[in-house]
Amino acid sequence: MHYFETTTLPADLSEFSEIIDVRTPAEFAIDHIPGAINLPVLSNEERISVGTLHKSSAFEARKLGAGLVSANAAKHLSEYFLKKDLSYSPLLYCWRGGMRSRSLTHILSSVGWRAQLLNGGYSAFRKWMVSDLENQFEHSDLKLIVLSGLTGVGKTRLLHSLEEQGAQVLDLEGMANHKGSLLGTPHTGAQPSQKFFESSLWHQMSKFDPAKLVYTEAESNKIGKLHCPPSLWKKLSESPVIEIELPLLERTKLLSEEYPHFCNDPASLSDLLNVLRRIRGNALVDTWQKQIKEQHWEIFLTSILQDHYDLSYRKPGDEKSIYSSPIASVQVHSISADSYLSAATELIELEL
């Protein structure tokens, strides 16, 4: 018997003081409900110990687990929960709403807080979220506007400028922590897991007003190691496309600004370029390597744009592109913030 309330999805998660994920840090890192905090009642090592013992004796494993959960719950009570007042009302979950979350929820309820348990735990959230995300792309009135253009035109910068002016923006590369190209591997941090990418995508989508346009960037099916969910990929292929243009010299300047770490670590850049020998040939890659070694950055960046990225670009409307032909084009004149703000204004004023 339990002495606390339970919550079943879909629910208004904003009604809770906070959402608490009591799973291990390793489980939390793979994925969690957006906005949740991690207060583990078993550490990574403790969960492994309990699981190993369970193979030989479920009873002994439950005894060990109960003691560890109690000790960690006591620590959280004396530290994290110490200053919470009587109005505090958290929602707790573990993997399936089992012993870990039930134990801490019961303790918090016994203190007097209105703690609630998420029925089915993270597993239930994941199943519901995937279905809801698919519904948002396939069965809603959502209208995406896709920004396309050659590498280096600053599509992400334009998205940020649109957001500054109050437009709804879906920054897929930001959520994926990858710029979606050979040089796009994150310089700081790693890409999230596929599951966390999808949870972040769902969280962002749930904030949008479906009656208003949502601007996003044309992407490949993969952004680094991550895949676009099939429903998103289909929605992108069906959405209107705006072609973004920027002069070559300005594109070169933009790459120089956005990839400064390669100038500081030319060896890593040289290693990346070797991957292109198969499609661009040894002679061109050797030329690039020489330009990098001699720090002829402007010459190198111009060439990598013209002789690699521009040749790889699948123009919307071409038979090899999933995207339809552009319905309009917007010219950005320079990489200045004012130029992108001006282009964003032009975009917003288009009759779409």
Side-chain angles (χ1 to χ4, degrees):
M1 179 179 293
H2 58 74
Y3 302 97
F4 48 80
E5 297 178 60
T6 60
T7 296
T8 301
L9 293 171
D12 181 7
L13 300 181
S14 65
E15 71 178 73
F16 299 97
S17 299
E18 59 188 352
I19 303 171
I20 301 175
D21 185 324
V22 306
R23 297 176 303 156
T24 64
E27 293 172 288
F28 184 82
I30 293 172
D31 188 29
H32 53 267
I33 297 177
I37 64 167
N38 188 209
L39 293 179
V41 294
L42 290 177
S43 68
N44 297 330
E45 297 74 19
E46 289 168 346
R47 183 169 183 254
I48 292 172
S49 297
V50 172
T52 301
L53 182 58
H54 192 274
K55 295 177 182 178
S56 57
S57 172
F59 175 65
E60 293 299 324
R62 286 195 296 270
K63 283 199 300 182
L64 174 61
L68 293 171
V69 168
S70 297
N72 288 317
K75 182 174 182 292
H76 293 321
L77 277 171
S78 62
E79 296 177 1
Y80 184 78
F81 296 109
L82 190 60
K83 295 183 179 180
K84 302 295 184 184
D85 61 29
L86 191 57
S87 66
Y88 183 59
S89 57
L91 176 68
L92 292 85
Y93 70 92
C94 58
W95 181 257
R96 293 186 184 278
M99 184 187 77
R100 289 185 288 175
S101 55
R102 286 180 179 274
S103 298
L104 188 53
T105 306
H106 175 72
I107 292 170
L108 297 182
S109 296
S110 299
V111 171
W113 290 305
R114 188 169 175 256
Q116 295 189 45
L117 178 77
L118 178 61
N119 282 324
Y122 166 78
S123 181
F125 163 75
R126 171 70 186 172
K127 182 178 180 180
W128 173 80
M129 181 276 293
V130 169
S131 176
D132 191 57
L133 182 61
E134 181 177 301
N135 182 67
Q136 290 184 50
F137 286 121
E138 291 191 355
H139 306 296
S140 72
D141 295 327
L142 172 76
K143 186 173 182 181
L144 286 181
I145 301 297
V146 177
L147 306 185
S148 186
L150 296 168
T151 296
V153 299
K155 296 181 288 292
T156 299
R157 291 192 181 193
L158 184 51
L159 287 178
H160 294 167
S161 294
L162 284 164
E163 195 166 34
E164 283 180 34
Q165 298 194 42
Q168 298 186 139
V169 165
L170 186 61
D171 182 4
L172 295 170
E173 292 184 357
M175 283 185 280
N177 193 27
H178 197 284
K179 293 183 183 295
S181 66
L182 173 70
L183 304 182
T185 303
H187 179 53
T188 56
Q191 286 197 269
S193 70
Q194 180 69 32
K195 289 183 177 180
F196 187 68
F197 173 64
E198 291 170 6
S199 292
S200 300
L201 177 59
W202 166 80
H203 184 55
Q204 184 62 50
M205 292 296 300
S206 66
K207 297 178 182 178
F208 290 150
D209 179 349
K212 297 180 179 179
L213 298 177
V214 175
Y215 297 88
T216 192
E217 180 177 343
E219 297 292 350
S220 299
N221 191 28
K222 287 185 67 178
I223 308 174
K225 68 178 183 180
L226 302 177
H227 292 268
C228 285
S231 56
L232 168 60
W233 186 236
K234 183 173 183 291
K235 188 71 175 181
L236 287 170
S237 71
E238 299 170 344
S239 299
V241 175
I242 306 293
E243 186 80 6
I244 309 304
E245 300 173 352
L246 181 72
L248 177 61
L249 179 59
E250 295 299 309
R251 291 167 60 206
T252 301
K253 293 178 183 177
L254 185 140
L255 258 64
S256 180
E257 284 189 6
E258 295 198 347
Y259 299 95
H261 50 286
F262 285 129
C263 298
N264 299 325
D265 185 14
S268 66
L269 176 58
S270 295
D271 290 342
L272 277 175
L273 293 175
N274 285 327
V275 176
L276 297 179
R277 290 184 180 277
R278 182 178 59 84
I279 60 173
R280 298 300 176 216
N282 289 325
L284 181 56
V285 174
D286 287 343
T287 298
W288 287 338
Q289 302 285 21
K290 184 173 184 293
Q291 291 166 351
I292 293 169
K293 185 176 181 180
E294 295 175 354
Q295 298 189 13
H296 294 159
W297 294 112
E298 185 175 330
I299 298 174
F300 163 70
L301 290 172
T302 301
S303 180
I304 195 75
L305 284 172
Q306 290 184 311
D307 302 322
H308 171 60
Y309 282 116
D310 290 1
L311 298 180
S312 302
Y313 180 58
R314 294 180 177 178
K315 189 174 178 60
D318 290 352
E319 60 180 22
K320 292 184 178 180
S321 174
I322 70 156
Y323 296 101
S324 57
S325 298
I327 60 172
S329 63
V330 171
Q331 177 76 44
V332 184
H333 299 287
S334 76
I335 63 170
S336 69
D338 286 345
S339 288
Y340 281 101
L341 282 172
S342 177
T345 300
E346 182 180 344
L347 257 174
I348 292 171
E349 291 177 350
L350 288 175
E351 294 185 3
L352 303 173

